[in-house]
Amino acid sequence: AMLQEALQPGAAQLCLHIAGDSTAALVLNIMEALAPDSVWRPRRVRFEHGGQIAGPQIARARRLGVVIAQPRAEGAPLRAWTSAGIPVAYGSDMLRNPFYYVMAAVTEPTVPGQAISREAAVAMLTRAPAYAEFTERDKGTLAPGMLADLAVLSQDVFTVPPEALPGTTSVLTVVGGRVVYDHRARAAARDPTRYPPTRFAHTP
């Protein structure tokens, strides 16, 4: 019934908590029975977790336009998904530093041979989540005309040892062009003599 409702004009995006291979197969079977791939793809049905999308189900999920969100990186076939072109969106999920999952994704997780590049892992935290919520024209990448949502990180996540990735924090966070967190400002509040005020030039 939920899948049928998702096909109605103006229906909200459907996000399904998918855990276990039998659930994944069941939902894919129903989707294929209800409508052709071309109808499902624009709807971007989200499989939250979706770790059991494997083997022949990968191609089926790709054809149907399924987006896998918040997978458990330690047991997900990330390379197979990204190689097939399935959007994989990630965030902090359980209030844990998201770079813990970046470390897991790039250091051969529990599924052998499924580690991905750091660039692909960062895309899971930026471009893919925007696509997953239909906001890829507004955010997810840094480009003219996009929202100025960005974070300046405490270290270079492309070069530090993998085990150091979970120690990554934001030293400056900008949302919509507005500074919402400034590590220096907080430090200056504790010790004004050590950290002079930071000046930012803002261009609307």
Side-chain angles (χ1 to χ4, degrees), residues 96-107:
R96 180 181 276 175
N97 185 322
F99 287 97
Y100 169 85
Y101 296 104
V102 173
M103 179 185 70
V106 303
T107 56

Side-chain angles (χ1 to χ4, degrees), residues 2-129:
M2 293 169 66
L3 288 163
Q4 286 178 324
E5 184 177 342
L7 290 171
Q8 300 306 309
Q13 183 185 22
L14 185 60
C15 304
L16 300 171
H17 187 281
I18 301 292
D21 52 0
S22 61
T23 304
L26 174 64
V27 173
L28 292 174
N29 288 342
I30 297 174
M31 291 176 69
E32 290 173 339
L34 288 176
D37 302 344
S38 58
V39 173
W40 281 115
R41 278 195 296 270
R43 286 164 169 76
R44 301 183 191 178
V45 174
R46 285 172 53 159
F47 281 19
E48 306 296 320
H49 306 324
Q52 302 304 318
I53 298 294
Q57 293 186 5
I58 293 177
R60 297 174 69 197
R62 176 67 183 96
R63 289 195 302 269
L64 290 162
V66 167
V67 176
I68 297 177
Q70 301 298 106
R72 295 294 179 257
E74 299 92 334
L78 295 176
R79 181 178 293 180
W81 289 344
T82 55
S83 296
I86 294 177
V88 182
Y90 216 91
S92 56
D93 197 15
M94 298 180 294
L95 303 181
R96 180 181 276 175
N97 185 322
F99 287 97
Y100 169 85
Y101 296 104
V102 173
M103 179 185 70
V106 303
T107 56
E108 289 295 342
T110 53
V111 182
Q114 290 301 309
I116 59 176
S117 69
R118 298 193 190 200
E119 290 78 4
V122 169
M124 285 199 312
L125 297 172
T126 54
R127 185 168 59 245

